[in-house]
Amino acid sequence: MRIAFFDTHRFDRTAFESANAAFGHALTWFEPRLTSQTVGLAAGFPAVCSFVNDRLDGPCLQALAAGGTRLVALRSAGFNHVDLEAAGRLGMTVVRVPEYSPQAVAEHTAALVLALNRKVHRAYARVREWNFSLDGLVGFDLHGKTVALVGLGRIGRATARIFHGFGCRLLAVDPRLSEGDAKALGLEPVTLEDALARADVVSLHVPLTPATRHLIDAAALARMKPGAMLINTGRGALIDSHALLAALKSGHLGAAGLDVYEEEEGIFFQDLSGQVLQDDVLARLLTFPNVLVTAHQAFLTREALDAIARTTLESVTRFERGEPLGVTEVRAEQVLPR
């Protein structure tokens, strides 16, 4: 099939071109994000491949369908940027990558915790300026600390195994977690309220849905243990950014590690180093010494990129042949698989 790729980067092309040797699809690369303003680029392509910060709303999907697109292939697990009801009405098929490398995101989660705790980002900046002072760099032993994992899907479970290795006490917030799985992973099932009150580190691993949007709001932040650390490698809008800023300014929240941000669209994956950052909340967050932001890179390992490319192209091939799409297909009425 002819596939139009949007919001592409060098790492996308390398992985997909390598994987495509086994499939033989015709790949065309576009740098802009896929939105209702850029959708004209996809005219005549039966398939488009989209990333997390594209905006496939109703008008965009309608224009895609009018241009002959029948398949939307998401090279991501998340699909909150797609109007699935509109896609269904238009007879368009949407596929995603339900799993690529849970370890990639889990390991980045641990990296954020370690870097924030041991002030690695601050120490690095200091020694680059010949400042070898240790003042202000005191951390804590992770061993024996309490880590709350909100969401125990594949990524949450991989994260649990990592922190279990550090000797942490693990709290699990997930009503679908079975007693057997909790025991096998060394997890104590608790409510979100209990987890927030007890945890030294809270890490978010749930999808973004209407029910989880601003799951961590001002009230949730106020319930957190004073001085605790909040980590988000899930979706940006799980956290109310204005409430996060207030909790950091008050000193109640000890640290925040963010690989995703509520308003990252149009900012992350771009080089804005020669411009003035227009997002005042993000600009303020970046001034805090106890905040570490990475630009949605938790997935970015060779293994994950290879899996994303292979799974996406396999879905395109099955669609082209009229074969069942299985768990990669996503529709408005379905429950998110775990």
Side-chain angles (χ1 to χ4, degrees), residues 63-329:
L64 281 173
T69 297
R70 296 176 289 121
L71 175 68
V72 175
L74 310 177
R75 56 186 191 276
S76 62
F79 48 82
N80 55 280
H81 57 297
V82 184
D83 186 335
L84 294 175
E85 292 185 358
R89 289 196 302 271
L90 293 165
M92 301 178 74
T93 299
V94 180
V95 294
R96 65 179 184 126
V97 184
E99 178 181 2
Y100 36 92
S101 174
Q103 288 73 27
V105 181
E107 289 170 11
H108 194 77
T109 299
L112 289 174
V113 172
L114 291 168
L116 278 167
N117 175 31
R118 301 308 297 269
K119 320 297 194 287
V120 174
H121 57 305
R122 297 178 63 190
Y124 174 79
R126 282 189 187 184
V127 299
R128 297 282 292 182
E129 298 181 355
W130 308 113
N131 178 357
F132 299 97
S133 168
L134 300 183
D135 291 338
L137 301 183
V138 177
F140 56 81
D141 287 357
L142 271 175
H143 183 86
K145 295 301 185 293
T146 300
V147 175
L149 302 172
V150 183
L152 271 297
R154 296 180 181 92
I155 294 172
R157 293 174 189 227
T159 307
R161 287 188 284 268
I162 291 173
F163 284 107
H164 186 270
F166 278 111
C168 298
R169 291 187 293 269
L170 300 177
L171 307 180
V173 181
D174 191 327
R176 290 179 287 182
L177 181 68
S178 71
E179 184 177 343
D181 285 348
K183 185 176 181 180
L185 290 165
L187 299 164
E188 179 188 348
V190 296
T191 64
L192 177 61
E193 290 74 17
D194 191 21
L196 295 174
R198 294 170 54 189
D200 301 291
V201 178
V202 175
S203 188
L204 306 180
H205 302 284
V206 293
L208 179 61
T209 67
T212 61
R213 180 175 293 275
H214 288 182
L215 179 71
I216 305 299
D217 56 11
L221 287 162
R223 293 189 194 102
M224 288 183 67
K225 188 176 179 179
M229 182 187 298
L230 177 63
I231 304 293
N232 188 7
T233 54
R235 287 291 179 266
L238 297 176
I239 299 176
D240 182 336
S241 301
H242 288 87
L244 175 65
L245 184 60
L248 288 162
K249 288 174 67 175
S250 72
H252 179 73
L253 186 64
L258 310 174
D259 185 57
V260 288
Y261 172 63
E262 186 172 14
E263 302 294 338
E264 68 181 57
E265 181 183 324
I267 300 176
F268 284 13
F269 311 118
Q270 311 297 321
D271 181 359
L272 305 180
S273 57
Q275 304 178 33
V276 175
L277 185 59
Q278 298 299 312
D279 190 306
D280 292 340
V281 174
L282 179 58
R284 183 71 178 94
L285 286 171
L286 291 172
T287 67
F288 286 91
N290 55 343
V291 172
L292 183 54
V293 176
T294 54
H296 208 138
Q297 72 178 72
F299 76 100
L300 198 62
T301 65
R302 288 187 296 272
E303 293 81 359
L305 290 171
D306 290 345
I308 289 168
R310 186 176 60 256
T311 301
T312 301
L313 294 176
E314 285 174 351
S315 293
V316 173
T317 298
R318 287 197 298 269
F319 176 83
E320 185 181 32
R321 295 173 177 173
E323 297 174 354
L325 294 168
V327 297
T328 65
E329 185 175 6

